[in-house]
């Protein structure tokens, strides 16, 4: 994560974990050992200063049964979140993704009630400043988020104070042939799939985050289409908080959609799309920094000679950390800190004279007092040097704890799976869903075969009936032919009228024989 923040300029991470890894059964206390392991990842993420999204990667299910609709109760699921919220209530950089990709949920209105129960539990536990993401039905697909009724139903979910500006719609979208995220080719940029959602968000003054998107790490179609989609999200950053690329971390480099660095080099999709399209990235191939070169943010360090991007600061204000350097003698940030002093990327760095966000506006105006759509729309630099649409407003004075704020257009990140042990449970959930999909495909094939057999039988019956009809017609024709032949024969054969030409047809010759003239 340090590499993605320092070298790619990203600032958020989604951290998948299975519900079954965290508790032994619904409603039970957190498993202390497993939670300690997962918390280590969360803390490593928080140390980057970025957004850290907890992702319960369970498809709105426990062992295949849907929460609140035949499976665990809303209260049992909310209990999990109450425990997590209690633990991270003082860490506002922890975002809370209610659950990964609900699908085939029978009643979307009932699902919204489940989400409301979770929101209430999180806030009651004291986590009042944390963002919460709300997922919809149909794998929370951006293309069907409105048409499925998810947008309307989840719009009725409110924060405990009646507001909605910290409740963010979570959507996913892949660009392969079946929107599954299992193929390396991207057949479209799928921008048209976002049109209804974009309009809904603008009309209703809401925000969404694209929490999963990805493609083949070096496929030319993905380098084109993913970049185009991210550019669209940047252009509509007033309603799209950002985008999170799937996936990196413990994924093997052979995984179809891996964003994990290949040896010492980031994959092209990372450098050319996620890093480049995000305002904080350089868009060039980067070499991960050696972990041994990194020190804590409080550790003193030198000043970077030249900035990654140079120019003037993006925002102004005071630095995120200030005073000390993040990485030491060859400081990425230069001057006096990660984003303070003289900017994030060197002497006249990306964030320039007085920091990335700090006390003045993210977009060079005053920071609005709350999150929401009241953001300033002052221009901000984009990859092409043109002006953007403004971005997510930040709390007055930046995020608590001296974390500063985020880039104006978006959160951009890679999704990180914690480690092999946590990954096992996540894999189980993913495998269950994959098995279900495989079963569906197998059922479809079986149905096709059954249909073929049924069609064959039906065809046989049809053929039999057709044969019978043909036979009946043949019999009729044969009978007609026989009758016709008999008629012709009768009409042409010598008859009494011919033997006795003086008689008309149908007259009979009567011969009278005198009695006694015939002897036998």
């Amino acid at each position: 994560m340090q590499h993605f923040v320092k070298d790619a300029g990203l600032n958020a991470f989604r951290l998948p974990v299975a519900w079954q890894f965290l508790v032994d059964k619904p409603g039970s206390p957190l498993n202390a050992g497993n939670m300690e392991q997962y918390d280590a990842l969360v803390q490593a993420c928080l140390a980057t200063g970025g957004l850290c999204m907890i992702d319960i990667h369970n498809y709105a299910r426990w062992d295949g049964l849907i929460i609140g609709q035949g499976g665990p109760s809303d209260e049992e699921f909310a209990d999990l979140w109450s425990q997590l919220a209690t633990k991270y209530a003082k860490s506002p950089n922890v975002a809370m993704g209610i659950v990964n990709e609900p699908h085939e949920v029978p009643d979307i209105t009932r699902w919204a009630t489940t989400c409301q129960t979770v929101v209430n539990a999180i806030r009651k536990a004291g986590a009042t400043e944390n963002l919460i993401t709300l997922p919809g039905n149909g794998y929370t697909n951006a293309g069907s988020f409105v048409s499925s009724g998810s947008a309307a139903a989840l719009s009725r979910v409110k924060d405990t104070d009646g507001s909605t500006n910290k409740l963010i719609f979570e959507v996913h979208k892949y660009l392969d042939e079946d929107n599954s995220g299992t193929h390396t080719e991207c057949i479209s940029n799928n921008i048209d799939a976002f049109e209804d959602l974009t309009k809904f968000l603008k009309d209703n003054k809401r925000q969404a985050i694209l929490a999963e998107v990805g493609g083949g790490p070096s496929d030319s179609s993905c380098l084109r289409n993913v970049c185009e989609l991210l550019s669209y999200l940047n252009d509509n950053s007033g309603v799209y908080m950002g985008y999170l690329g799937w996936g990196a971390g413990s994924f093997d480099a052979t995984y179809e959609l891996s964003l994990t660095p290949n040896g010492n080099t980031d994959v092209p999709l990372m450098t050319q799309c996620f890093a480049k399209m995000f305002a904080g990235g350089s868009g060039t191939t980067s070499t991960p920094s050696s972990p041994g070169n990194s020190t804590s943010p409080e550790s003193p360090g030198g000043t970077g000679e030249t900035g990654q991007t140079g120019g003037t600061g993006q925002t102004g204000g005071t630095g995120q950390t200030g005073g000390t350097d993040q990485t030491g003698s060859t400081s990425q940030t230069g001057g006096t800190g990660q984003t303070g002093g003289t900017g994030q990327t060197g002497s006249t760095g990306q964030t320039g004279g007085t920091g990335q966000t700090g006390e003045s506006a993210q977009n060079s105006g005053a920071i609005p007092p709350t999150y929401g759509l009241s953001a300033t729309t002052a221009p901000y630099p984009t990859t092409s040097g043109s002006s953007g649409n403004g971005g997510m407003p930040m709390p007055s004075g930046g995020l608590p704890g001296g974390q500063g704020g985020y880039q104006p257009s978006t959160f951009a990140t890679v999704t990180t799976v914690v480690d092999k042990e946590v990954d096992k449970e996540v894999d189980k959930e993913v495998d269950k869903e994959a098995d279900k999909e495989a079963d569906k495909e197998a059922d479809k094939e079986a149905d096709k075969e059954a249909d073929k057999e049924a069609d064959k039988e039906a065809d046989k019956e049809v053929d039999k009936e057709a044969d019978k009809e043909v036979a009946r017609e043949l019999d009729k024709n044969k009978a007609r032919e026989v009758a016709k032949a008999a008629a012709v024969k009768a009409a042409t054969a010598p008859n009494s009228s011919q033997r006795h030409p003086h008689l008309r047809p149908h007259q009979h010759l009567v011969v009278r024989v005198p009695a006694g003239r015939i002897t036998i």
Side-chain angles (χ1 to χ4, degrees):
M1 286 184 283
Q2 288 286 350
H3 156 63
F4 287 121
V5 171
K6 293 191 297 180
D7 300 325
L10 307 183
N11 67 354
F13 298 88
R14 182 168 176 253
L15 311 174
V17 63
W19 188 0
Q20 289 89 337
F21 185 78
L22 296 177
V23 299
D24 298 326
K25 63 180 181 179
S28 66
L30 295 173
N31 181 301
N34 288 356
M35 186 62 214
E36 181 180 3
Q37 192 172 354
Y38 182 66
D39 181 57
L41 176 74
V42 176
Q43 297 304 325
C45 179
L46 289 172
T48 70
L51 183 80
C52 306
M53 182 186 293
I54 297 174
D55 162 36
I56 305 300
H57 211 82
N58 275 71
Y59 305 90
R61 287 158 166 78
W62 176 282
D63 290 344
L65 300 177
I66 298 173
I67 301 164
Q69 300 184 51
S73 67
D74 291 351
E75 291 71 24
E76 286 174 319
F77 187 49
D79 180 71
L80 168 72
W81 274 110
S82 178
Q83 295 182 72
L84 292 172
T86 298
K87 185 172 184 64
Y88 297 112
K90 296 182 180 180
S91 300
N93 278 26
V94 173
M96 301 186 177
I98 287 181
V99 77
N100 180 67
E101 293 187 349
H103 64 92
E104 296 170 296
V105 174
D107 188 337
I108 188 61
T109 301
R110 180 67 184 80
W111 171 246
T113 299
T114 299
C115 292
Q116 183 67 71
T117 303
V118 172
V119 169
N120 293 346
I122 290 172
R123 298 309 190 210
K124 185 177 179 180
T128 58
E129 299 300 317
N130 306 68
L131 294 176
I132 300 174
T133 66
L134 308 175
N137 209 354
Y139 298 92
T140 202
N141 188 326
S144 61
F145 199 81
V146 175
S147 62
S148 69
S150 296
L154 293 172
S155 290
R156 293 191 285 271
V157 178
K158 307 294 183 184
D159 223 326
T160 50
D161 61 0
S163 66
T164 59
N165 57 358
K166 294 175 190 170
L167 305 181
I168 310 300
F169 296 137
E170 177 178 329
V171 296
H172 296 181
K173 193 64 182 173
Y174 288 97
L175 313 183
D176 53 357
E177 62 188 38
D178 56 1
N179 193 48
S180 65
T182 58
H183 306 88
T184 56
E185 183 180 7
C186 298
I187 64 170
S188 167
N189 58 31
N190 268 338
I191 289 174
D192 57 345
F194 284 79
E195 290 179 355
D196 288 347
L197 178 58
T198 301
K199 183 178 186 303
F200 182 92
L201 295 171
K202 289 180 178 179
D203 289 347
N204 292 275
K205 296 181 173 56
R206 297 298 298 267
Q207 286 185 307
I209 186 167
L210 180 59
E212 280 191 29
V213 63
S218 58
D219 186 272
S220 60
S221 66
C222 293
L223 295 178
R224 178 180 68 257
N225 286 313
V226 173
C227 284
E228 289 174 356
L229 175 57
L230 300 188
S231 178
Y232 170 83
L233 297 177
N234 282 345
D235 290 342
N236 290 277
S237 62
V239 292
Y240 291 107
M241 182 178 290
Y243 37 82
L244 288 77
W246 182 275
S250 66
F251 285 112
D252 188 270
T254 59
Y255 172 55
E256 292 89 342
L257 306 188
S258 177
L259 290 174
T260 303
N262 184 9
N264 291 325
T265 304
D266 275 317
V267 297
L269 190 64
M270 169 56 69
T271 59
Q272 296 181 36
C273 291
F274 287 101
K276 183 175 182 179
M277 300 307 297
F278 181 52
S282 64
T284 60
T285 300
S286 57
T287 300
S289 301
S290 169
N293 293 336
S294 178
T295 59
S296 69
E298 292 75 26
S299 168
T303 60
E305 288 294 324
T306 58
Q308 182 182 4
T309 56
T312 58
Q314 186 178 359
T315 55
T318 58
Q320 181 181 355
T321 55
T324 59
D325 188 80
Q326 183 185 14
T327 58
S329 60
T330 58
S331 166
Q332 179 197 5
T333 58
T336 56
Q338 186 181 5
T339 56
T342 56
Q344 184 183 5
T345 56
S347 59
T348 56
Q350 182 189 6
T351 56
T354 53
Q356 186 181 1
T357 54
E359 295 177 0
S360 65
Q362 212 176 358
N363 298 333
S364 300
I367 295 178
T370 60
Y371 289 92
L373 285 175
S374 58
T376 174
T377 56
Y380 66 88
T382 63
T383 55
S384 62
S386 62
S387 295
N389 293 332
M392 191 188 81
M394 301 303 299
S396 178
L399 287 175
Q403 293 299 324
Y406 303 108
Q407 295 287 1
S409 81
T410 183
F411 294 114
T413 188
V414 291
T415 298
T416 303
V417 176
V418 51
D419 60 26
K420 292 181 179 179
E421 288 305 312
V422 176
D423 197 17
K424 285 179 183 177
E425 292 298 328
V426 173
D427 284 346
K428 285 180 185 177
E429 293 306 307
V430 174
D431 289 345
K432 287 177 188 175
E433 296 305 310
D435 288 344
K436 287 179 185 176
E437 292 302 316
D439 288 343
K440 286 181 185 176
E441 291 302 314
D443 289 343
K444 288 179 184 176
E445 291 302 315
D447 288 343
K448 287 180 184 177
E449 291 302 316
D451 288 343
K452 287 180 183 177
E453 291 303 314
D455 289 345
K456 288 178 184 177
E457 291 302 314
D459 288 344
K460 287 179 183 177
E461 292 302 315
V462 170
D463 289 344
K464 286 179 183 178
E465 291 303 313
D467 290 344
K468 290 178 183 177
E469 289 300 316
V470 170
R472 283 194 283 267
E473 289 300 317
L474 289 175
D475 289 343
K476 289 178 182 179
N477 290 336
K478 186 176 181 180
R480 284 193 287 267
E481 291 297 323
V482 170
K484 183 178 180 182
V488 171
K489 183 177 180 180
T492 58
N495 54 37
S496 57
S497 65
Q498 291 172 327
R499 292 195 299 272
H500 303 277
H502 62 282
L503 296 175
R504 295 190 300 273
H506 307 300
Q507 288 183 325
H508 299 281
L509 176 65
V510 179
V511 179
R512 294 182 183 278
V513 180
R517 289 288 187 97
I518 297 177
T519 59
I520 299 176

